[in-house]
Amino acid sequence: MKDGKLKTVYVCSNCGETSPRWMGRCPSCGEWNTMVRDVVVPEPKSAARKAAGARPAGVTSLVADRLSSISTTEEKSRIVTGISELDRVLGGGVVLGSVVLLGGEPGAGKSTLLLQLCGAISRQHEVLYITGEESTRQIKLRANRMGTFSDSLLILCETNLEDIREAIQKEKPAAVVIDSIQTMYNENVSSAPGSVSQVRESTSVLMQIAKGMNISIFIVGHVTKEGVVAGPRVLEHMVDTVLYFEGDRYAAYRILRGVKNRFGSTNEIGVFEMRDIGLVEVENPSEYMLSGKPKGASGSVVACSVEGSRPILLEIQALVCRSNLGIPRRTAAGTDINRVNLLMAVLEKRLGLSMSSCDAYINIAGGIRMN
């Protein structure tokens, strides 16, 4: 094959396995219907050799550090943002040189949360906010609703990854926000922005920048209808921290949950309330979860769930009624439906309650999910 000739491959969106032809099941991870068509242009051999010998951004020569000389003090390894709910989920603050992936439904407030994060960090350090979805004027209008921001916050509207690399090397900020990774474009990859190859290669370049220049990078990722970050599954393995911003766009409350964190616990959650001035922290989630609960109502109990380092009181609502269907309907919001079926089987076996012909509806009030 000649250099520069188009090549069609199929890439597994779950594990990144490539194949010259489409297959219903990925031979590597065994998932079904995950092979996505992608078009790539092979790099010339000279360019490939040059890229193979390239060093990460900001590294002029390879120098090995002695383990005893590496500082691990909080002042030199983390940035405390002052947003306590976010700092708790991150494990005590933003780790320098880390790459954080933030996913969530459209309209959940990902851009709002990161803009507030930039405003908090810009009081101490310089921050670069790079957007590929909005104009600088749109970001300014949102910032005006939130309050005043420091002059240390820089806004750049760009999608070309090479131009972004030059801007980061020029400004040398302490933190960078990429909104979003699906809009970034790497010239060395011929496929369209948002494809499996573009997302994987763009994230790899950003990781080199973060580790080489000791810059914290936050990446916004779109989610699929299944609720996972769009793109290859290997994306979540590449980054240091994966956060999900949960909540209905029409509801007032949002939950920030960590599903992966190399620098802290993944059991912590942060609760925010969406207002006209932006996201406001909910310091006492139990009070919010139980607010408006009627006293003495049937089908409602209060349970205690430990999320990370703090207990949270939750209201569990349940309704069981006779079914007119051949197969009873069982639905659960906030908990596992298989757990509900198990509990109903135990009640029928041990207490003698006839529940095999009943519909069951279980809900965890407030949008919290209990595992």
Side-chain angles (χ1 to χ4, degrees), residues 257 303-307 314 316 334-336 364 368-371:
R257 186 186 303 274
C304 182
S305 173
V306 178
E307 298 289 345
L314 303 173
I316 303 179
T335 188
D336 186 11
I364 309 297
I368 294 287
R369 182 170 182 83
M370 293 183 65
N371 296 323

Side-chain angles (χ1 to χ4, degrees), residues 209-287:
I209 296 174
K211 307 304 180 183
M213 302 182 64
N214 201 29
I215 295 174
S216 302
I217 297 182
F218 289 82
I219 300 175
V220 176
H222 296 163
V223 296
T224 61
K225 60 182 180 180
E226 289 82 14
V228 298
V229 176
R233 191 69 176 179
V234 70
L235 177 63
E236 297 188 6
H237 297 282
M238 295 171 62
V239 300
D240 299 308
T241 305
V242 180
L243 306 178
Y244 276 92
F245 209 35
E246 305 171 356
D248 187 356
R249 71 172 69 180
Y250 303 108
Y253 295 95
R254 307 287 191 271
I255 297 170
L256 182 65
R257 186 186 303 274
V259 297
K260 174 188 175 181
N261 192 355
R262 291 175 178 165
F263 315 109
S265 172
T266 58
N267 297 322
E268 299 285 355
I269 65 170
V271 184
F272 297 87
E273 180 183 2
M274 178 64 79
R275 297 182 183 176
D276 55 348
I277 59 173
L279 291 164
V280 180
E281 301 175 69
V282 178
E283 298 180 356
N284 188 358
S286 298
E287 180 181 2

Side-chain angles (χ1 to χ4, degrees), residues 27-348:
S28 179
C29 64
E31 293 293 329
W32 289 91
N33 298 324
T34 57
M35 304 300 289
V36 181
R37 182 176 180 270
D38 200 0
V39 179
V40 296
V41 176
E43 290 186 82
K45 294 182 179 179
S46 58
R49 285 194 298 265
K50 182 178 179 181
R55 296 188 180 96
V59 178
T60 57
S61 61
L62 293 178
V63 179
D65 295 326
R66 297 186 182 277
L67 182 63
S68 59
S69 64
I70 301 176
S71 174
T72 58
T73 59
E74 291 294 325
E75 294 79 7
K76 295 184 179 181
S77 61
R78 291 183 184 267
I79 300 176
V80 179
T81 65
I83 306 176
S84 59
E85 294 294 310
L86 178 60
D87 289 337
R88 177 186 290 109
V89 177
L90 291 175
V94 181
V95 177
L96 295 175
S98 64
V99 181
V100 180
L101 176 63
L102 176 63
E105 296 286 341
K110 303 183 295 296
S111 300
T112 301
L113 175 63
L114 290 180
L115 188 57
Q116 290 185 222
L117 171 66
C118 291
I121 298 179
S122 63
R123 300 188 185 101
Q124 315 169 36
H125 310 277
E126 193 168 86
V127 184
L128 179 59
Y129 189 103
I130 301 174
T131 175
E133 299 183 344
E134 298 176 291
S135 65
T136 55
R137 186 181 298 273
Q138 290 174 314
I139 296 177
K140 176 63 176 178
L141 291 174
R142 186 191 301 124
N144 289 338
R145 297 196 304 267
M146 298 180 185
T148 58
F149 284 80
S150 171
D151 289 338
S152 299
L153 176 57
L154 308 175
I155 307 295
L156 176 63
C157 184
E158 184 57 62
T159 58
N160 191 310
L161 211 57
E162 290 302 319
D163 295 338
I164 291 173
R165 184 203 295 267
E166 294 178 3
I168 294 175
Q169 292 176 348
K170 177 183 177 182
E171 301 296 341
K172 294 182 174 59
V176 176
V177 172
I178 304 294
D179 188 9
S180 64
I181 190 62
Q182 277 79 14
T183 62
M184 296 297 110
Y185 180 76
N186 190 343
E187 293 180 344
N188 296 327
V189 182
S190 62
S191 56
S195 63
V196 173
S197 299
Q198 282 285 359
V199 171
R200 182 179 61 247
E201 296 301 323
S202 299
T203 304
S204 177
V205 172
L206 293 173
M207 286 191 62
Q208 291 182 3
I209 296 174
K211 307 304 180 183
M213 302 182 64
N214 201 29
I215 295 174
S216 302
I217 297 182
F218 289 82
I219 300 175
V220 176
H222 296 163
V223 296
T224 61
K225 60 182 180 180
E226 289 82 14
V228 298
V229 176
R233 191 69 176 179
V234 70
L235 177 63
E236 297 188 6
H237 297 282
M238 295 171 62
V239 300
D240 299 308
T241 305
V242 180
L243 306 178
Y244 276 92
F245 209 35
E246 305 171 356
D248 187 356
R249 71 172 69 180
Y250 303 108
Y253 295 95
R254 307 287 191 271
I255 297 170
L256 182 65
R257 186 186 303 274
V259 297
K260 174 188 175 181
N261 192 355
R262 291 175 178 165
F263 315 109
S265 172
T266 58
N267 297 322
E268 299 285 355
I269 65 170
V271 184
F272 297 87
E273 180 183 2
M274 178 64 79
R275 297 182 183 176
D276 55 348
I277 59 173
L279 291 164
V280 180
E281 301 175 69
V282 178
E283 298 180 356
N284 188 358
S286 298
E287 180 181 2
Y288 137 66
M289 299 295 173
L290 300 180
S291 61
K293 178 183 180 298
K295 295 182 179 180
S298 61
S300 174
V301 296
V302 177
C304 182
S305 173
V306 178
E307 298 289 345
S309 60
R310 63 180 178 183
I312 298 179
L313 298 178
L314 303 173
E315 179 188 0
I316 303 179
Q317 302 167 346
L319 173 63
V320 179
C321 58
R322 292 293 174 184
S323 177
N324 296 323
L325 304 174
I327 300 177
R329 181 177 300 168
R330 310 282 170 82
T331 61
T335 188
D336 186 11
I337 185 63
N338 295 322
R339 182 73 173 176
V340 175
N341 292 330
L342 174 62
L343 293 175
M344 295 184 68
V346 172
L347 292 175
E348 184 166 0

